[in-house]
Amino acid sequence: MRAAPFLLAVVLAAPCRPSPAAAVTGDEIMERVRDRFARARTYEARFEKRFYWAVLDKHATRQGRIYTQRPGRFRVQLEGGDLVVADGEAIWAYSKTNEQVIVSPYDGGVLRTPWEVLVEYSEGYRTVAVERTDLDGREVYMLTLQPTEDVPPALRLKRMRLWVEERGWRLLRIEQVEPNDDVSTFILSGHRRDGRLDDDLFRFTPPEGTEIIDRRPAAPTLK
């Protein structure tokens, strides 16, 4: 899958009761979501990752928490002990099962940051439908997006859907459908903005015995 380790998948089975949306465009809704997240000094939320593999007709689900702190620190922790931690200079991706951590430069493009997942998800996609509907008792906008020619064919999704809470402009769900009909769904809840976060959340010390794979460029040697 092309998403970050914390963005996974399953087909959503809950029915929607769509009604015509108000006179607000998809671009306007996404801009309000981006603005709300961009103005948050800190952010935290619970999340659920749902997977669906179409060929195998299999589902999987995992849960975790996400924390961000401007300008470049974040932590994504999954049940079971897996972690992705960024201190602003490097990203530490830790697999408890493999007893391994991969260290990458922050700007190396190896993993998508929460800002890319939660804010820049729509780059290269255009809104083709906006509906006002109900999601777990909340009034939401459901946006359907399709890729433009700007997205390389190898990275192009078949379709993307977003659920945005009308009150507060919180992003509640992202659903991505692959060309092979695999589905990735990322569900957010328990949103909290501008709360106090412990600095230790954004530090990672590998447990004893962990294999460390450091992909950061070596510092130049002075001659």
Side-chain angles (χ1 to χ4, degrees), residues 92-118:
W92 303 71
Y94 171 66
S95 169
K96 185 175 181 179
T97 301
N98 297 336
E99 297 185 322
Q100 181 185 88
V101 62
I102 298 175
V103 191
S104 306
Y106 187 88
D107 58 354
V110 176
L111 297 176
R112 297 178 67 200
T113 69
W115 290 280
E116 291 172 316
V117 173
L118 299 176

mmCIF file of all heavy atoms in Angstrom, residues 92-118:
data_model
loop_
_atom_site.group_PDB
_atom_site.id
_atom_site.type_symbol
_atom_site.label_atom_id
_atom_site.label_comp_id
_atom_site.label_asym_id
_atom_site.label_seq_id
_atom_site.Cartn_x
_atom_site.Cartn_y
_atom_site.Cartn_z
ATOM 1 N N TRP A 92 11.386 8.199 13.177
ATOM 2 C CA TRP A 92 11.711 6.880 13.698
ATOM 3 C C TRP A 92 10.496 5.977 13.505
ATOM 4 O O TRP A 92 9.446 6.207 14.104
ATOM 5 C CB TRP A 92 12.067 6.955 15.182
ATOM 6 C CG TRP A 92 13.202 7.892 15.492
ATOM 7 C CD1 TRP A 92 13.180 9.251 15.429
ATOM 8 C CD2 TRP A 92 14.518 7.520 15.893
ATOM 9 N NE1 TRP A 92 14.400 9.767 15.769
ATOM 10 C CE2 TRP A 92 15.248 8.734 16.072
ATOM 11 C CE3 TRP A 92 15.152 6.299 16.132
ATOM 12 C CZ2 TRP A 92 16.582 8.736 16.465
ATOM 13 C CZ3 TRP A 92 16.481 6.312 16.539
ATOM 14 C CH2 TRP A 92 17.176 7.507 16.694
ATOM 15 N N ALA A 93 10.622 4.963 12.671
ATOM 16 C CA ALA A 93 9.533 4.017 12.415
ATOM 17 C C ALA A 93 9.897 2.696 13.077
ATOM 18 O O ALA A 93 10.788 1.975 12.599
ATOM 19 C CB ALA A 93 9.311 3.843 10.921
ATOM 20 N N TYR A 94 9.209 2.381 14.168
ATOM 21 C CA TYR A 94 9.567 1.242 15.006
ATOM 22 C C TYR A 94 8.555 0.113 14.860
ATOM 23 O O TYR A 94 7.347 0.325 14.990
ATOM 24 C CB TYR A 94 9.643 1.679 16.468
ATOM 25 C CG TYR A 94 9.806 0.541 17.457
ATOM 26 C CD1 TYR A 94 10.960 -0.242 17.480
ATOM 27 C CD2 TYR A 94 8.794 0.250 18.369
ATOM 28 C CE1 TYR A 94 11.110 -1.275 18.387
ATOM 29 C CE2 TYR A 94 8.928 -0.789 19.284
ATOM 30 C CZ TYR A 94 10.099 -1.547 19.288
ATOM 31 O OH TYR A 94 10.239 -2.575 20.183
ATOM 32 N N SER A 95 9.043 -1.085 14.568
ATOM 33 C CA SER A 95 8.222 -2.290 14.517
ATOM 34 C C SER A 95 8.570 -3.154 15.718
ATOM 35 O O SER A 95 9.701 -3.666 15.813
ATOM 36 C CB SER A 95 8.462 -3.072 13.224
ATOM 37 O OG SER A 95 7.854 -4.353 13.300
ATOM 38 N N LYS A 96 7.634 -3.310 16.628
ATOM 39 C CA LYS A 96 7.876 -4.128 17.815
ATOM 40 C C LYS A 96 8.026 -5.595 17.440
ATOM 41 O O LYS A 96 8.872 -6.305 17.987
ATOM 42 C CB LYS A 96 6.733 -3.952 18.817
ATOM 43 C CG LYS A 96 6.953 -4.679 20.132
ATOM 44 C CD LYS A 96 5.851 -4.386 21.130
ATOM 45 C CE LYS A 96 6.100 -5.102 22.451
ATOM 46 N NZ LYS A 96 5.028 -4.808 23.448
ATOM 47 N N THR A 97 7.206 -6.055 16.489
ATOM 48 C CA THR A 97 7.265 -7.457 16.072
ATOM 49 C C THR A 97 8.631 -7.813 15.496
ATOM 50 O O THR A 97 9.215 -8.852 15.814
ATOM 51 C CB THR A 97 6.177 -7.757 15.023
ATOM 52 O OG1 THR A 97 4.894 -7.465 15.580
ATOM 53 C CG2 THR A 97 6.222 -9.209 14.589
ATOM 54 N N ASN A 98 9.158 -6.922 14.651
ATOM 55 C CA ASN A 98 10.455 -7.177 14.008
ATOM 56 C C ASN A 98 11.637 -6.753 14.864
ATOM 57 O O ASN A 98 12.793 -7.005 14.493
ATOM 58 C CB ASN A 98 10.529 -6.448 12.660
ATOM 59 C CG ASN A 98 9.504 -6.951 11.675
ATOM 60 O OD1 ASN A 98 9.042 -8.082 11.781
ATOM 61 N ND2 ASN A 98 9.131 -6.108 10.722
ATOM 62 N N GLU A 99 11.356 -6.068 15.990
ATOM 63 C CA GLU A 99 12.410 -5.520 16.846
ATOM 64 C C GLU A 99 13.387 -4.695 16.014
ATOM 65 O O GLU A 99 14.603 -4.881 16.054
ATOM 66 C CB GLU A 99 13.141 -6.634 17.600
ATOM 67 C CG GLU A 99 12.244 -7.402 18.564
ATOM 68 C CD GLU A 99 13.017 -8.421 19.385
ATOM 69 O OE1 GLU A 99 13.936 -9.059 18.825
ATOM 70 O OE2 GLU A 99 12.719 -8.559 20.576
ATOM 71 N N GLN A 100 12.817 -3.784 15.239
ATOM 72 C CA GLN A 100 13.607 -3.006 14.290
ATOM 73 C C GLN A 100 13.066 -1.579 14.217
ATOM 74 O O GLN A 100 11.865 -1.359 14.288
ATOM 75 C CB GLN A 100 13.527 -3.669 12.914
ATOM 76 C CG GLN A 100 14.311 -2.997 11.814
ATOM 77 C CD GLN A 100 14.061 -3.676 10.478
ATOM 78 O OE1 GLN A 100 13.133 -3.342 9.747
ATOM 79 N NE2 GLN A 100 14.887 -4.678 10.160
ATOM 80 N N VAL A 101 13.970 -0.625 14.083
ATOM 81 C CA VAL A 101 13.565 0.762 13.864
ATOM 82 C C VAL A 101 14.319 1.305 12.658
ATOM 83 O O VAL A 101 15.519 1.068 12.497
ATOM 84 C CB VAL A 101 13.824 1.644 15.106
ATOM 85 C CG1 VAL A 101 15.301 1.708 15.471
ATOM 86 C CG2 VAL A 101 13.268 3.054 14.881
ATOM 87 N N ILE A 102 13.592 1.979 11.760
ATOM 88 C CA ILE A 102 14.194 2.614 10.599
ATOM 89 C C ILE A 102 14.177 4.120 10.830
ATOM 90 O O ILE A 102 13.126 4.709 11.084
ATOM 91 C CB ILE A 102 13.431 2.263 9.314
ATOM 92 C CG1 ILE A 102 13.478 0.750 9.075
ATOM 93 C CG2 ILE A 102 14.020 3.009 8.114
ATOM 94 C CD1 ILE A 102 12.655 0.289 7.890
ATOM 95 N N VAL A 103 15.349 4.732 10.769
ATOM 96 C CA VAL A 103 15.489 6.171 10.996
ATOM 97 C C VAL A 103 15.699 6.858 9.657
ATOM 98 O O VAL A 103 16.619 6.508 8.912
ATOM 99 C CB VAL A 103 16.665 6.482 11.942
ATOM 100 C CG1 VAL A 103 16.617 7.947 12.379
ATOM 101 C CG2 VAL A 103 16.665 5.557 13.154
ATOM 102 N N SER A 104 14.845 7.821 9.351
ATOM 103 C CA SER A 104 14.920 8.531 8.068
ATOM 104 C C SER A 104 15.006 10.028 8.320
ATOM 105 O O SER A 104 14.501 10.522 9.334
ATOM 106 C CB SER A 104 13.677 8.241 7.217
ATOM 107 O OG SER A 104 13.469 6.860 7.052
ATOM 108 N N PRO A 105 15.623 10.775 7.403
ATOM 109 C CA PRO A 105 15.590 12.236 7.534
ATOM 110 C C PRO A 105 14.157 12.732 7.433
ATOM 111 O O PRO A 105 13.335 12.152 6.721
ATOM 112 C CB PRO A 105 16.442 12.728 6.354
ATOM 113 C CG PRO A 105 16.435 11.588 5.386
ATOM 114 C CD PRO A 105 16.332 10.335 6.204
ATOM 115 N N TYR A 106 13.847 13.792 8.152
ATOM 116 C CA TYR A 106 12.473 14.269 8.197
ATOM 117 C C TYR A 106 11.946 14.612 6.812
ATOM 118 O O TYR A 106 10.781 14.347 6.495
ATOM 119 C CB TYR A 106 12.362 15.493 9.111
ATOM 120 C CG TYR A 106 10.940 15.936 9.336
ATOM 121 C CD1 TYR A 106 10.189 15.395 10.363
ATOM 122 C CD2 TYR A 106 10.333 16.878 8.505
ATOM 123 C CE1 TYR A 106 8.870 15.779 10.572
ATOM 124 C CE2 TYR A 106 9.027 17.259 8.696
ATOM 125 C CZ TYR A 106 8.300 16.710 9.734
ATOM 126 O OH TYR A 106 6.990 17.087 9.919
ATOM 127 N N ASP A 107 12.789 15.205 5.984
ATOM 128 C CA ASP A 107 12.334 15.659 4.663
ATOM 129 C C ASP A 107 12.709 14.670 3.570
ATOM 130 O O ASP A 107 12.792 15.024 2.402
ATOM 131 C CB ASP A 107 12.909 17.041 4.340
ATOM 132 C CG ASP A 107 14.432 17.051 4.370
ATOM 133 O OD1 ASP A 107 15.026 16.017 4.752
ATOM 134 O OD2 ASP A 107 15.025 18.093 4.027
ATOM 135 N N GLY A 108 12.889 13.402 3.948
ATOM 136 C CA GLY A 108 13.333 12.429 2.954
ATOM 137 C C GLY A 108 12.238 11.860 2.099
ATOM 138 O O GLY A 108 12.511 11.164 1.130
ATOM 139 N N GLY A 109 10.973 12.120 2.442
ATOM 140 C CA GLY A 109 9.864 11.656 1.624
ATOM 141 C C GLY A 109 9.579 10.173 1.713
ATOM 142 O O GLY A 109 8.839 9.637 0.894
ATOM 143 N N VAL A 110 10.161 9.480 2.712
ATOM 144 C CA VAL A 110 9.938 8.040 2.833
ATOM 145 C C VAL A 110 8.545 7.748 3.387
ATOM 146 O O VAL A 110 7.850 6.852 2.916
ATOM 147 C CB VAL A 110 11.018 7.415 3.750
ATOM 148 C CG1 VAL A 110 10.741 5.929 3.952
ATOM 149 C CG2 VAL A 110 12.403 7.638 3.157
ATOM 150 N N LEU A 111 8.139 8.497 4.391
ATOM 151 C CA LEU A 111 6.827 8.329 4.998
ATOM 152 C C LEU A 111 6.021 9.604 4.832
ATOM 153 O O LEU A 111 6.571 10.706 4.846
ATOM 154 C CB LEU A 111 6.960 8.008 6.497
ATOM 155 C CG LEU A 111 7.666 6.703 6.871
ATOM 156 C CD1 LEU A 111 7.793 6.614 8.371
ATOM 157 C CD2 LEU A 111 6.906 5.514 6.326
ATOM 158 N N ARG A 112 4.724 9.445 4.715
ATOM 159 C CA ARG A 112 3.849 10.611 4.686
ATOM 160 C C ARG A 112 3.626 11.088 6.118
ATOM 161 O O ARG A 112 3.349 10.303 7.008
ATOM 162 C CB ARG A 112 2.516 10.260 4.042
ATOM 163 C CG ARG A 112 2.627 9.847 2.595
ATOM 164 C CD ARG A 112 1.277 9.456 2.035
ATOM 165 N NE ARG A 112 0.391 10.597 1.953
ATOM 166 C CZ ARG A 112 -0.936 10.496 1.866
ATOM 167 N NH1 ARG A 112 -1.500 9.309 1.884
ATOM 168 N NH2 ARG A 112 -1.680 11.569 1.764
ATOM 169 N N THR A 113 3.782 12.376 6.348
ATOM 170 C CA THR A 113 3.564 12.939 7.676
ATOM 171 C C THR A 113 2.065 13.090 7.924
ATOM 172 O O THR A 113 1.261 13.062 6.980
ATOM 173 C CB THR A 113 4.228 14.319 7.796
ATOM 174 O OG1 THR A 113 3.516 15.248 6.961
ATOM 175 C CG2 THR A 113 5.695 14.268 7.370
ATOM 176 N N PRO A 114 1.659 13.267 9.196
ATOM 177 C CA PRO A 114 0.231 13.517 9.452
ATOM 178 C C PRO A 114 -0.304 14.723 8.704
ATOM 179 O O PRO A 114 -1.467 14.748 8.316
ATOM 180 C CB PRO A 114 0.200 13.739 10.972
ATOM 181 C CG PRO A 114 1.351 12.946 11.485
ATOM 182 C CD PRO A 114 2.425 13.112 10.440
ATOM 183 N N TRP A 115 0.536 15.729 8.488
ATOM 184 C CA TRP A 115 0.063 16.901 7.749
ATOM 185 C C TRP A 115 -0.281 16.525 6.310
ATOM 186 O O TRP A 115 -1.246 17.028 5.740
ATOM 187 C CB TRP A 115 1.125 18.006 7.799
ATOM 188 C CG TRP A 115 1.246 18.586 9.177
ATOM 189 C CD1 TRP A 115 0.418 19.514 9.753
ATOM 190 C CD2 TRP A 115 2.191 18.224 10.165
ATOM 191 N NE1 TRP A 115 0.812 19.752 11.045
ATOM 192 C CE2 TRP A 115 1.891 18.983 11.326
ATOM 193 C CE3 TRP A 115 3.259 17.337 10.202
ATOM 194 C CZ2 TRP A 115 2.637 18.886 12.505
ATOM 195 C CZ3 TRP A 115 3.993 17.233 11.367
ATOM 196 C CH2 TRP A 115 3.691 18.007 12.500
ATOM 197 N N GLU A 116 0.511 15.640 5.723
ATOM 198 C CA GLU A 116 0.220 15.186 4.365
ATOM 199 C C GLU A 116 -1.031 14.322 4.329
ATOM 200 O O GLU A 116 -1.828 14.400 3.396
ATOM 201 C CB GLU A 116 1.411 14.421 3.804
ATOM 202 C CG GLU A 116 2.611 15.295 3.534
ATOM 203 C CD GLU A 116 3.840 14.490 3.158
ATOM 204 O OE1 GLU A 116 4.109 13.459 3.806
ATOM 205 O OE2 GLU A 116 4.541 14.904 2.218
ATOM 206 N N VAL A 117 -1.216 13.502 5.369
ATOM 207 C CA VAL A 117 -2.387 12.633 5.408
ATOM 208 C C VAL A 117 -3.658 13.430 5.686
ATOM 209 O O VAL A 117 -4.691 13.215 5.056
ATOM 210 C CB VAL A 117 -2.209 11.534 6.477
ATOM 211 C CG1 VAL A 117 -3.496 10.728 6.655
ATOM 212 C CG2 VAL A 117 -1.068 10.610 6.099
ATOM 213 N N LEU A 118 -3.601 14.375 6.637
ATOM 214 C CA LEU A 118 -4.798 15.065 7.095
ATOM 215 C C LEU A 118 -5.073 16.377 6.377
ATOM 216 O O LEU A 118 -6.188 16.895 6.454
ATOM 217 C CB LEU A 118 -4.690 15.342 8.602
ATOM 218 C CG LEU A 118 -4.557 14.105 9.492
ATOM 219 C CD1 LEU A 118 -4.351 14.517 10.938
ATOM 220 C CD2 LEU A 118 -5.761 13.202 9.359
#
